[in-house]
Amino acid sequence: MAVLVTGGAGYIGSHTVLALLARGDEVVVLDNLSNASAESLRRVARLSGKAPRLIEGDIRDRQRLRDLLATGAIQSVIHFAGLKAVGESTREPLAYYQNNVSGTLVLLEEMRRAGVSQLIFSSSATVYGAQASVPYVETAAIGGTTSPYGTSKLMVEQILRDAARADSRFTAIALRYFNPVGAHPSGEIGEDPHGIPNNLLPYIAQVAVGRLPALGVFGNDYDTPDGTGVRDYIHVMDLAEGHLKALDALPRQAGYRAYNLGAGRGYSVLEMVRAFEQACGQSLPVTIKARRDGDLAAFWADASLADRELDWRVSRGLAEMMADTWRWQQNNPHGYR
Ligand code: NAD
Ligand code: WQD
């Protein structure tokens, strides 16, 4: 029996597929390659010595899913597929609800029809919204999201909760990622954003490699130790391992559960820049800019629930996140292209 990984050619998906293959799981990837390249999976195959099966297709293609699930070969689903750019989601909200919410509904309906009852979902710390107090803990109310992207994650969490309540065979885990960074230590696979990166680490890495002139720091007047935004950065390989732990926990669990996956501590933008400078051995040009709309000052995870119930915790620190990002960026200055 195989694990179906939707969006498995993407950043977090490809690292998780590699971790699954490395421990001997069979994997089928369904990805429409809208934000990924099949090259990521060719490299995963090289690194693991096993080729994941790639089906190039869309989760909203109901017949495709129906045919795939009807083979009886799929035991569980890890669902990464979706759109993820916060700013774009405010300009294109319908595309985000269509892909992230309607797409998930098609997947859930076809899973139910085929009797596939175990799902891991990529949620986000953003579901805690602007009013939550730090550290974010799973017992806190979610909501008050500040973008259609965040609301799409919130809606899917609610759908999963209701679906599990209505059908005792269905079990689902939502993993609320904090800020994923880093790359596989081989430097062969990593994050490959199209265009100008929205997120901090890919931006810093592209400055270091000379593709971008300087990092703009979005505000240095927050109520944080150095005035810049504080986030909980998590190494993508720790995150990948969290999915394996959650997959193993699914058969023991009933209903729906949500877990934070974070390191449980925050670093500021300037701390991240300094740590990257250490890793790449050069100083990086930085300019202070206005605050970015919708940004919060500081948040990090209470990650103790995943520790207790999934036996999962991070094992990679800031230096490793930076060294691995730099290795990937240096070896692949233009990503997979
Ligand atoms: P990514 O864009 O690299 O991966 C998403 C993958 O899904 C891509 O390969 C894309 O081609 C594919 N895809 C998109 N729509 C699809 C569709 N309709 N059908 C089939 N494939 C489709 O993003 P990522 O960073 O790897 O994120 C994976 C998941 O984790 C997403 O759901 C994202 O919202 C969530 N998440 C990401 C972060 C982050 O900072 N990277 C944080 C929290 C949550
Ligand atoms: C981190 C810090 C910025 C870029 C977003 C989504 C979230 C999740 C992860 C999917 C902040 C600062 C950034 C730059 C900067 N994604 N920054 N200059 O905003 O915490 O989270 O990605 O679920 O939902 O909202 O991540 O990497 O964009 O920013 O100063 O060029 O770096 O202000 O303090 P964020 P980020």
Side-chain angles (χ1 to χ4, degrees):
M1 296 286 274
V3 184
L4 171 63
V5 183
T6 75
Y11 171 45
I12 305 168
S14 57
H15 289 79
T16 304
V17 168
L18 179 55
L20 286 165
L21 292 171
R23 74 167 191 182
D25 287 9
E26 231 181 279
V27 177
V28 176
V29 170
L30 176 65
D31 197 305
N32 66 6
L33 301 182
S34 59
N35 196 38
S37 150
E39 176 62 15
S40 66
L41 293 181
R42 282 193 282 277
R43 295 187 184 189
V44 163
R46 218 157 55 218
L47 289 166
S48 66
K50 291 173 211 143
R53 182 171 159 221
L54 169 63
I55 300 172
E56 191 177 334
D58 198 293
I59 52 164
R60 293 163 294 180
D61 182 344
R62 187 180 291 280
Q63 195 58 48
R64 195 69 171 269
L65 270 176
R66 191 168 295 178
D67 294 344
L68 170 62
L69 296 173
T71 61
I74 304 297
Q75 176 159 30
S76 49
V77 179
I78 305 182
H79 177 34
F80 292 106
L83 302 177
K84 66 160 182 178
V86 174
E88 181 184 66
S89 80
T90 62
R91 297 187 297 275
E92 302 280 348
L94 301 185
Y96 274 69
Y97 291 120
Q98 167 63 226
N99 203 326
N100 296 5
V101 182
S102 300
T104 303
L105 280 172
V106 174
L107 174 65
L108 293 174
E109 285 162 357
E110 293 307 318
M111 283 175 66
R112 187 177 57 177
R113 184 185 170 102
V116 177
S117 59
Q118 299 183 1
L119 179 88
I120 310 278
F121 171 63
S122 299
S123 189
S124 166
T126 194
V127 299
Y128 288 104
Q131 305 311 319
S133 51
V134 288
Y136 291 171
V137 61
E138 293 88 343
T139 48
I142 57 174
T145 43
T146 52
S147 70
Y149 167 74
T151 307
S152 75
K153 294 292 178 189
L154 185 70
M155 288 169 135
V156 172
E157 283 208 18
Q158 187 61 52
I159 290 167
L160 295 178
R161 180 173 293 129
D162 291 342
R165 224 175 253 155
D167 177 356
S168 60
R169 288 160 306 178
F170 179 62
T171 53
I173 290 179
L175 298 175
R176 295 175 181 160
Y177 314 155
F178 281 67
N179 289 58
V181 297
H184 187 264
S186 63
E188 288 285 308
I189 58 170
E191 188 170 8
D192 180 21
H194 293 165
I196 307 277
N198 298 307
N199 295 111
L200 179 65
L201 241 275
Y203 204 109
I204 294 179
Q206 291 195 14
V207 172
V209 87
R211 268 175 78 177
L212 292 168
L215 172 74
V217 174
F218 298 143
N220 67 349
D221 55 354
Y222 284 107
D223 183 16
T224 60
D226 65 19
T228 66
V230 168
R231 296 290 183 273
D232 182 336
Y233 296 93
I234 170 175
H235 195 295
V236 67
M237 290 309 299
D238 280 328
L239 192 57
E241 287 162 11
H243 291 76
L244 273 54
K245 294 281 189 164
L247 200 58
D248 295 342
L250 270 177
R252 315 191 285 271
Q253 276 195 357
Y256 165 79
R257 295 287 276 165
Y259 295 96
N260 291 340
L261 294 186
R265 65 153 298 175
Y267 290 102
S268 75
V269 176
L270 292 179
E271 284 176 312
M272 296 297 281
V273 172
R274 272 182 228 115
F276 202 89
E277 288 176 336
Q278 289 280 319
C280 71
Q282 48 176 304
S283 70
L284 300 174
V286 160
T287 57
I288 304 299
K289 293 202 170 158
R291 291 181 178 193
R292 181 172 65 178
D293 260 4
D295 266 355
L296 301 176
F299 63 83
W300 58 92
D302 177 330
S304 57
L305 188 67
D307 188 316
R308 285 198 305 280
E309 294 192 0
L310 302 180
D311 185 31
W312 174 88
R313 59 208 63 85
V314 301
S315 66
R316 297 160 179 90
L318 192 58
E320 213 168 334
M321 297 180 208
M322 300 307 183
D324 290 339
T325 305
W326 179 230
R327 191 175 304 106
W328 154 252
Q329 186 69 65
Q330 264 189 309
N331 292 353
N332 307 273
H334 297 282
Y336 291 116
R337 282 164 293 273

mmCIF file of all heavy atoms in Angstrom, residues 240-277:
data_model
loop_
_atom_site.group_PDB
_atom_site.id
_atom_site.type_symbol
_atom_site.label_atom_id
_atom_site.label_comp_id
_atom_site.label_asym_id
_atom_site.label_seq_id
_atom_site.Cartn_x
_atom_site.Cartn_y
_atom_site.Cartn_z
ATOM 1 N N ALA A 240 9.560 17.471 7.654
ATOM 2 C CA ALA A 240 9.281 16.228 6.921
ATOM 3 C C ALA A 240 9.114 15.074 7.907
ATOM 4 O O ALA A 240 8.172 14.276 7.800
ATOM 5 C CB ALA A 240 10.415 15.938 5.934
ATOM 6 N N GLU A 241 10.007 15.006 8.884
ATOM 7 C CA GLU A 241 9.921 13.921 9.871
ATOM 8 C C GLU A 241 8.638 14.022 10.692
ATOM 9 O O GLU A 241 8.078 12.995 11.102
ATOM 10 C CB GLU A 241 11.158 13.935 10.777
ATOM 11 C CG GLU A 241 12.394 13.443 10.025
ATOM 12 C CD GLU A 241 13.711 13.819 10.700
ATOM 13 O OE1 GLU A 241 13.702 14.289 11.866
ATOM 14 O OE2 GLU A 241 14.760 13.646 10.047
ATOM 15 N N GLY A 242 8.159 15.227 10.910
ATOM 16 C CA GLY A 242 6.883 15.409 11.609
ATOM 17 C C GLY A 242 5.736 14.739 10.866
ATOM 18 O O GLY A 242 4.814 14.189 11.481
ATOM 19 N N HIS A 243 5.790 14.766 9.527
ATOM 20 C CA HIS A 243 4.736 14.109 8.739
ATOM 21 C C HIS A 243 4.784 12.599 8.903
ATOM 22 O O HIS A 243 3.756 11.934 8.941
ATOM 23 C CB HIS A 243 4.866 14.487 7.262
ATOM 24 C CG HIS A 243 4.524 15.921 7.009
ATOM 25 N ND1 HIS A 243 5.372 16.938 7.332
ATOM 26 C CD2 HIS A 243 3.410 16.505 6.512
ATOM 27 C CE1 HIS A 243 4.804 18.090 7.037
ATOM 28 N NE2 HIS A 243 3.607 17.859 6.534
ATOM 29 N N LEU A 244 5.994 12.044 9.003
ATOM 30 C CA LEU A 244 6.119 10.592 9.174
ATOM 31 C C LEU A 244 5.560 10.194 10.541
ATOM 32 O O LEU A 244 4.846 9.192 10.670
ATOM 33 C CB LEU A 244 7.581 10.167 9.032
ATOM 34 C CG LEU A 244 8.057 9.873 7.596
ATOM 35 C CD1 LEU A 244 7.809 10.995 6.624
ATOM 36 C CD2 LEU A 244 9.532 9.499 7.584
ATOM 37 N N LYS A 245 5.868 10.998 11.558
ATOM 38 C CA LYS A 245 5.352 10.708 12.909
ATOM 39 C C LYS A 245 3.828 10.812 12.923
ATOM 40 O O LYS A 245 3.147 10.003 13.555
ATOM 41 C CB LYS A 245 5.936 11.695 13.928
ATOM 42 C CG LYS A 245 7.427 11.560 14.125
ATOM 43 C CD LYS A 245 7.772 10.398 15.033
ATOM 44 C CE LYS A 245 9.260 10.426 15.375
ATOM 45 N NZ LYS A 245 9.594 9.585 16.504
ATOM 46 N N ALA A 246 3.303 11.807 12.234
ATOM 47 C CA ALA A 246 1.836 11.980 12.209
ATOM 48 C C ALA A 246 1.188 10.817 11.458
ATOM 49 O O ALA A 246 0.141 10.300 11.869
ATOM 50 C CB ALA A 246 1.482 13.317 11.556
ATOM 51 N N LEU A 247 1.813 10.396 10.380
ATOM 52 C CA LEU A 247 1.291 9.261 9.603
ATOM 53 C C LEU A 247 1.232 8.010 10.481
ATOM 54 O O LEU A 247 0.245 7.264 10.460
ATOM 55 C CB LEU A 247 2.226 9.034 8.413
ATOM 56 C CG LEU A 247 1.717 8.268 7.213
ATOM 57 C CD1 LEU A 247 0.489 8.945 6.626
ATOM 58 C CD2 LEU A 247 2.831 8.193 6.152
ATOM 59 N N ASP A 248 2.284 7.813 11.274
ATOM 60 C CA ASP A 248 2.318 6.641 12.155
ATOM 61 C C ASP A 248 1.260 6.740 13.249
ATOM 62 O O ASP A 248 0.772 5.724 13.738
ATOM 63 C CB ASP A 248 3.708 6.501 12.794
ATOM 64 C CG ASP A 248 4.772 6.208 11.748
ATOM 65 O OD1 ASP A 248 4.399 5.781 10.628
ATOM 66 O OD2 ASP A 248 5.966 6.417 12.038
ATOM 67 N N ALA A 249 0.939 7.975 13.647
ATOM 68 C CA ALA A 249 -0.039 8.162 14.729
ATOM 69 C C ALA A 249 -1.477 7.991 14.240
ATOM 70 O O ALA A 249 -2.370 7.675 15.036
ATOM 71 C CB ALA A 249 0.130 9.555 15.346
ATOM 72 N N LEU A 250 -1.715 8.172 12.950
ATOM 73 C CA LEU A 250 -3.105 8.173 12.441
ATOM 74 C C LEU A 250 -3.902 6.922 12.820
ATOM 75 O O LEU A 250 -5.038 7.054 13.303
ATOM 76 C CB LEU A 250 -3.113 8.343 10.917
ATOM 77 C CG LEU A 250 -3.166 9.765 10.378
ATOM 78 C CD1 LEU A 250 -3.081 9.751 8.856
ATOM 79 C CD2 LEU A 250 -4.430 10.498 10.820
ATOM 80 N N PRO A 251 -3.350 5.726 12.641
ATOM 81 C CA PRO A 251 -4.150 4.540 12.974
ATOM 82 C C PRO A 251 -4.498 4.431 14.462
ATOM 83 O O PRO A 251 -5.480 3.796 14.819
ATOM 84 C CB PRO A 251 -3.250 3.370 12.552
ATOM 85 C CG PRO A 251 -2.208 3.948 11.661
ATOM 86 C CD PRO A 251 -2.050 5.374 12.056
ATOM 87 N N ARG A 252 -3.695 5.077 15.332
ATOM 88 C CA ARG A 252 -3.972 5.032 16.781
ATOM 89 C C ARG A 252 -4.981 6.099 17.185
ATOM 90 O O ARG A 252 -5.429 6.134 18.321
ATOM 91 C CB ARG A 252 -2.730 5.341 17.643
ATOM 92 C CG ARG A 252 -1.433 4.709 17.315
ATOM 93 C CD ARG A 252 -0.446 4.960 18.489
ATOM 94 N NE ARG A 252 0.095 6.316 18.556
ATOM 95 C CZ ARG A 252 1.203 6.685 17.914
ATOM 96 N NH1 ARG A 252 1.841 5.829 17.145
ATOM 97 N NH2 ARG A 252 1.678 7.923 18.040
ATOM 98 N N GLN A 253 -5.254 7.035 16.258
ATOM 99 C CA GLN A 253 -6.070 8.177 16.654
ATOM 100 C C GLN A 253 -7.497 8.055 16.171
ATOM 101 O O GLN A 253 -7.752 7.401 15.164
ATOM 102 C CB GLN A 253 -5.466 9.451 16.068
ATOM 103 C CG GLN A 253 -4.377 9.973 16.955
ATOM 104 C CD GLN A 253 -3.997 11.395 16.643
ATOM 105 O OE1 GLN A 253 -4.512 11.989 15.712
ATOM 106 N NE2 GLN A 253 -3.100 11.932 17.421
ATOM 107 N N ALA A 254 -8.378 8.696 16.894
ATOM 108 C CA ALA A 254 -9.755 8.748 16.432
ATOM 109 C C ALA A 254 -10.061 10.194 16.085
ATOM 110 O O ALA A 254 -9.623 11.100 16.778
ATOM 111 C CB ALA A 254 -10.673 8.269 17.542
ATOM 112 N N GLY A 255 -10.790 10.401 15.028
ATOM 113 C CA GLY A 255 -11.280 11.739 14.713
ATOM 114 C C GLY A 255 -10.209 12.668 14.186
ATOM 115 O O GLY A 255 -9.294 12.254 13.481
ATOM 116 N N TYR A 256 -10.327 13.939 14.565
ATOM 117 C CA TYR A 256 -9.487 14.999 14.006
ATOM 118 C C TYR A 256 -8.617 15.601 15.104
ATOM 119 O O TYR A 256 -9.100 15.847 16.218
ATOM 120 C CB TYR A 256 -10.399 16.083 13.416
ATOM 121 C CG TYR A 256 -9.701 17.377 13.138
ATOM 122 C CD1 TYR A 256 -8.923 17.522 11.998
ATOM 123 C CD2 TYR A 256 -9.804 18.450 14.020
ATOM 124 C CE1 TYR A 256 -8.258 18.698 11.748
ATOM 125 C CE2 TYR A 256 -9.142 19.637 13.777
ATOM 126 C CZ TYR A 256 -8.367 19.759 12.643
ATOM 127 O OH TYR A 256 -7.707 20.922 12.400
ATOM 128 N N ARG A 257 -7.335 15.827 14.803
ATOM 129 C CA ARG A 257 -6.425 16.489 15.744
ATOM 130 C C ARG A 257 -5.597 17.506 14.974
ATOM 131 O O ARG A 257 -5.285 17.316 13.796
ATOM 132 C CB ARG A 257 -5.433 15.498 16.371
ATOM 133 C CG ARG A 257 -6.035 14.442 17.240
ATOM 134 C CD ARG A 257 -6.506 14.974 18.570
ATOM 135 N NE ARG A 257 -5.468 15.054 19.575
ATOM 136 C CZ ARG A 257 -5.607 15.758 20.714
ATOM 137 N NH1 ARG A 257 -6.702 16.447 20.956
ATOM 138 N NH2 ARG A 257 -4.645 15.770 21.606
ATOM 139 N N ALA A 258 -5.213 18.571 15.653
ATOM 140 C CA ALA A 258 -4.304 19.564 15.048
ATOM 141 C C ALA A 258 -3.071 19.691 15.936
ATOM 142 O O ALA A 258 -3.180 19.670 17.171
ATOM 143 C CB ALA A 258 -5.007 20.910 14.935
ATOM 144 N N TYR A 259 -1.910 19.796 15.292
ATOM 145 C CA TYR A 259 -0.645 19.926 16.025
ATOM 146 C C TYR A 259 0.185 21.067 15.451
ATOM 147 O O TYR A 259 0.318 21.191 14.229
ATOM 148 C CB TYR A 259 0.196 18.649 15.893
ATOM 149 C CG TYR A 259 -0.431 17.439 16.541
ATOM 150 C CD1 TYR A 259 -1.179 16.545 15.778
ATOM 151 C CD2 TYR A 259 -0.283 17.198 17.904
ATOM 152 C CE1 TYR A 259 -1.765 15.440 16.370
ATOM 153 C CE2 TYR A 259 -0.871 16.091 18.495
ATOM 154 C CZ TYR A 259 -1.612 15.218 17.728
ATOM 155 O OH TYR A 259 -2.203 14.128 18.307
ATOM 156 N N ASN A 260 0.801 21.835 16.336
ATOM 157 C CA ASN A 260 1.812 22.806 15.916
ATOM 158 C C ASN A 260 3.096 22.070 15.571
ATOM 159 O O ASN A 260 3.534 21.195 16.333
ATOM 160 C CB ASN A 260 2.158 23.750 17.079
ATOM 161 C CG ASN A 260 1.028 24.687 17.431
ATOM 162 O OD1 ASN A 260 0.136 24.918 16.623
ATOM 163 N ND2 ASN A 260 1.063 25.226 18.651
ATOM 164 N N LEU A 261 3.712 22.412 14.459
ATOM 165 C CA LEU A 261 5.070 21.956 14.184
ATOM 166 C C LEU A 261 5.967 23.182 14.103
ATOM 167 O O LEU A 261 5.972 23.908 13.098
ATOM 168 C CB LEU A 261 5.148 21.130 12.890
ATOM 169 C CG LEU A 261 4.418 19.780 12.872
ATOM 170 C CD1 LEU A 261 4.727 19.023 11.582
ATOM 171 C CD2 LEU A 261 4.729 18.903 14.078
ATOM 172 N N GLY A 262 6.664 23.415 15.176
ATOM 173 C CA GLY A 262 7.588 24.540 15.255
ATOM 174 C C GLY A 262 8.708 24.172 16.202
ATOM 175 O O GLY A 262 8.691 23.104 16.820
ATOM 176 N N ALA A 263 9.691 25.078 16.303
ATOM 177 C CA ALA A 263 10.835 24.811 17.173
ATOM 178 C C ALA A 263 10.538 25.215 18.611
ATOM 179 O O ALA A 263 11.208 24.780 19.543
ATOM 180 C CB ALA A 263 12.055 25.556 16.655
ATOM 181 N N GLY A 264 9.559 26.120 18.785
ATOM 182 C CA GLY A 264 9.230 26.575 20.130
ATOM 183 C C GLY A 264 10.062 27.764 20.576
ATOM 184 O O GLY A 264 10.071 28.111 21.758
ATOM 185 N N ARG A 265 10.763 28.403 19.623
ATOM 186 C CA ARG A 265 11.477 29.640 19.960
ATOM 187 C C ARG A 265 11.558 30.525 18.718
ATOM 188 O O ARG A 265 11.455 30.048 17.584
ATOM 189 C CB ARG A 265 12.875 29.368 20.504
ATOM 190 C CG ARG A 265 13.845 28.738 19.540
ATOM 191 C CD ARG A 265 15.269 29.106 19.916
ATOM 192 N NE ARG A 265 15.474 30.551 19.839
ATOM 193 C CZ ARG A 265 16.583 31.164 20.205
ATOM 194 N NH1 ARG A 265 17.582 30.476 20.699
ATOM 195 N NH2 ARG A 265 16.718 32.472 20.073
ATOM 196 N N GLY A 266 11.738 31.806 18.943
ATOM 197 C CA GLY A 266 11.743 32.734 17.813
ATOM 198 C C GLY A 266 13.100 33.365 17.577
ATOM 199 O O GLY A 266 13.937 33.448 18.477
ATOM 200 N N TYR A 267 13.309 33.784 16.322
ATOM 201 C CA TYR A 267 14.486 34.587 15.964
ATOM 202 C C TYR A 267 14.000 35.812 15.198
ATOM 203 O O TYR A 267 13.028 35.734 14.431
ATOM 204 C CB TYR A 267 15.446 33.795 15.065
ATOM 205 C CG TYR A 267 16.166 32.672 15.770
ATOM 206 C CD1 TYR A 267 15.751 31.357 15.619
ATOM 207 C CD2 TYR A 267 17.258 32.939 16.607
ATOM 208 C CE1 TYR A 267 16.410 30.318 16.266
ATOM 209 C CE2 TYR A 267 17.922 31.908 17.263
ATOM 210 C CZ TYR A 267 17.494 30.598 17.089
ATOM 211 O OH TYR A 267 18.145 29.588 17.738
ATOM 212 N N SER A 268 14.721 36.920 15.376
ATOM 213 C CA SER A 268 14.345 38.147 14.671
ATOM 214 C C SER A 268 14.923 38.135 13.251
ATOM 215 O O SER A 268 15.823 37.341 12.938
ATOM 216 C CB SER A 268 14.867 39.371 15.430
ATOM 217 O OG SER A 268 16.269 39.491 15.238
ATOM 218 N N VAL A 269 14.437 39.055 12.435
ATOM 219 C CA VAL A 269 14.954 39.173 11.063
ATOM 220 C C VAL A 269 16.462 39.430 11.098
ATOM 221 O O VAL A 269 17.236 38.802 10.358
ATOM 222 C CB VAL A 269 14.231 40.303 10.295
ATOM 223 C CG1 VAL A 269 14.836 40.500 8.916
ATOM 224 C CG2 VAL A 269 12.734 40.010 10.190
ATOM 225 N N LEU A 270 16.895 40.331 11.983
ATOM 226 C CA LEU A 270 18.335 40.648 12.015
ATOM 227 C C LEU A 270 19.155 39.474 12.530
ATOM 228 O O LEU A 270 20.290 39.250 12.072
ATOM 229 C CB LEU A 270 18.580 41.916 12.849
ATOM 230 C CG LEU A 270 18.015 43.202 12.216
ATOM 231 C CD1 LEU A 270 18.280 44.416 13.117
ATOM 232 C CD2 LEU A 270 18.595 43.454 10.819
ATOM 233 N N GLU A 271 18.605 38.707 13.460
ATOM 234 C CA GLU A 271 19.314 37.488 13.901
ATOM 235 C C GLU A 271 19.460 36.501 12.742
ATOM 236 O O GLU A 271 20.481 35.823 12.601
ATOM 237 C CB GLU A 271 18.562 36.813 15.058
ATOM 238 C CG GLU A 271 18.732 37.513 16.389
ATOM 239 C CD GLU A 271 17.894 36.885 17.491
ATOM 240 O OE1 GLU A 271 16.673 36.637 17.283
ATOM 241 O OE2 GLU A 271 18.443 36.641 18.582
ATOM 242 N N MET A 272 18.437 36.423 11.921
ATOM 243 C CA MET A 272 18.496 35.513 10.757
ATOM 244 C C MET A 272 19.572 35.980 9.771
ATOM 245 O O MET A 272 20.316 35.184 9.223
ATOM 246 C CB MET A 272 17.133 35.458 10.058
ATOM 247 C CG MET A 272 16.022 34.865 10.903
ATOM 248 S SD MET A 272 16.303 33.147 11.334
ATOM 249 C CE MET A 272 15.828 32.343 9.821
ATOM 250 N N VAL A 273 19.623 37.285 9.554
ATOM 251 C CA VAL A 273 20.633 37.816 8.627
ATOM 252 C C VAL A 273 22.032 37.504 9.150
ATOM 253 O O VAL A 273 22.896 37.004 8.420
ATOM 254 C CB VAL A 273 20.453 39.344 8.436
ATOM 255 C CG1 VAL A 273 21.608 39.934 7.624
ATOM 256 C CG2 VAL A 273 19.120 39.645 7.765
ATOM 257 N N ARG A 274 22.243 37.743 10.453
ATOM 258 C CA ARG A 274 23.580 37.484 11.017
ATOM 259 C C ARG A 274 23.951 36.020 10.925
ATOM 260 O O ARG A 274 25.079 35.648 10.600
ATOM 261 C CB ARG A 274 23.639 37.969 12.473
ATOM 262 C CG ARG A 274 24.056 39.423 12.531
ATOM 263 C CD ARG A 274 24.167 39.946 13.951
ATOM 264 N NE ARG A 274 23.451 41.209 14.003
ATOM 265 C CZ ARG A 274 22.363 41.442 14.703
ATOM 266 N NH1 ARG A 274 21.836 40.492 15.464
ATOM 267 N NH2 ARG A 274 21.787 42.606 14.656
ATOM 268 N N ALA A 275 22.994 35.159 11.200
ATOM 269 C CA ALA A 275 23.269 33.711 11.136
ATOM 270 C C ALA A 275 23.584 33.296 9.691
ATOM 271 O O ALA A 275 24.446 32.451 9.456
ATOM 272 C CB ALA A 275 22.073 32.927 11.672
ATOM 273 N N PHE A 276 22.909 33.911 8.741
ATOM 274 C CA PHE A 276 23.196 33.561 7.337
ATOM 275 C C PHE A 276 24.580 34.076 6.935
ATOM 276 O O PHE A 276 25.308 33.412 6.193
ATOM 277 C CB PHE A 276 22.112 34.093 6.396
ATOM 278 C CG PHE A 276 22.071 33.333 5.099
ATOM 279 C CD1 PHE A 276 21.276 32.207 4.967
ATOM 280 C CD2 PHE A 276 22.860 33.711 4.014
ATOM 281 C CE1 PHE A 276 21.271 31.472 3.780
ATOM 282 C CE2 PHE A 276 22.869 32.984 2.833
ATOM 283 C CZ PHE A 276 22.059 31.855 2.716
ATOM 284 N N GLU A 277 24.935 35.250 7.437
ATOM 285 C CA GLU A 277 26.272 35.795 7.147
ATOM 286 C C GLU A 277 27.364 34.842 7.640
ATOM 287 O O GLU A 277 28.372 34.623 6.972
ATOM 288 C CB GLU A 277 26.431 37.178 7.784
ATOM 289 C CG GLU A 277 25.618 38.246 7.057
ATOM 290 C CD GLU A 277 25.667 39.621 7.732
ATOM 291 O OE1 GLU A 277 25.933 39.695 8.961
ATOM 292 O OE2 GLU A 277 25.428 40.617 7.039
#
